[in-house]
Amino acid sequence: MTGVQTCALPISDPVFGHDVAFFVFTLPFLHFVRGVAQGLVVVGALAAGALYLVSGNLTSGFGGSLRLAPAARRHLTLVAAVFFGLLALAAWLGRFDLLVRPSGILYGASYADVYGRMPWSQAAMVVALLGVVASVAQALTDRNWPIPAVAALYLVTL
């Protein structure tokens, strides 16, 4: 028997150990699902805010201060928690994007990507998950500072 022998083992990347099919099929699909979900959350939050404004559950006071009914406040802060969760998913998926985007004249992750950008992406993911916890805490208490504080920390992390 003469012929060429082929190896049937899948080729995986050296950083995460994922198969090539993950980067070709799964990763773009996950980005698509996250993008659609994030768009729906934003549109839903704007629509809910508009309905709360029309129904009187959201009123503005003297000096531009906003007052929310407790149920409306709880709903919108839980929507913010879902949004922070989607930001965490985006940061988690962003780590994989470093392996398939151009880095200088070559494609793939460079030394700076692996040891510089990936840890910052993980930090952004942790801060976004902290945003989920802070949003749920704000929904269950009367405090108003958790979401703005975590949003500022997230912007600093980026």
Side-chain angles (χ1 to χ4, degrees):
M1 290 183 95
T2 61
V4 178
Q5 291 182 332
T6 60
C7 180
L9 296 175
I11 299 172
S12 61
D13 73 278
V15 177
F16 295 112
H18 286 290
D19 189 351
V20 173
F22 173 80
F23 295 99
V24 175
F25 300 111
T26 307
L27 188 60
F29 178 72
L30 291 175
H31 276 298
F32 172 73
V33 169
R34 185 212 44 92
V36 168
Q38 202 162 7
L40 289 174
V41 166
V42 168
V43 169
L46 291 174
L51 287 174
Y52 287 139
L53 184 65
V54 170
S55 69
N57 288 323
L58 173 64
T59 58
S60 64
F62 181 73
S65 64
L66 293 175
R67 293 193 181 102
L68 280 167
R73 182 178 186 275
R74 187 172 29 257
H75 175 241
L76 291 177
T77 53
L78 291 176
V79 169
V82 172
F83 185 77
F84 274 119
L86 291 170
L87 287 178
L89 179 62
W92 182 73
L93 292 174
R95 298 177 317 136
F96 301 114
D97 288 335
L98 293 173
L99 298 181
V100 294
R101 69 176 180 83
S103 179
I105 58 172
L106 301 174
Y107 277 82
S110 66
Y111 183 85
D113 291 333
V114 173
Y115 294 105
R117 289 184 182 96
M118 280 187 196
W120 278 109
S121 180
Q122 290 172 343
M125 182 178 60
V126 169
V127 170
L129 290 175
L130 182 65
V132 171
V133 173
S135 298
V136 170
Q138 185 169 335
L140 300 176
T141 64
D142 289 334
R143 296 187 175 131
N144 289 327
W145 60 267
I147 290 177
V150 173
L153 182 62
Y154 185 78
L155 290 175
V156 168
T157 304
L158 289 181

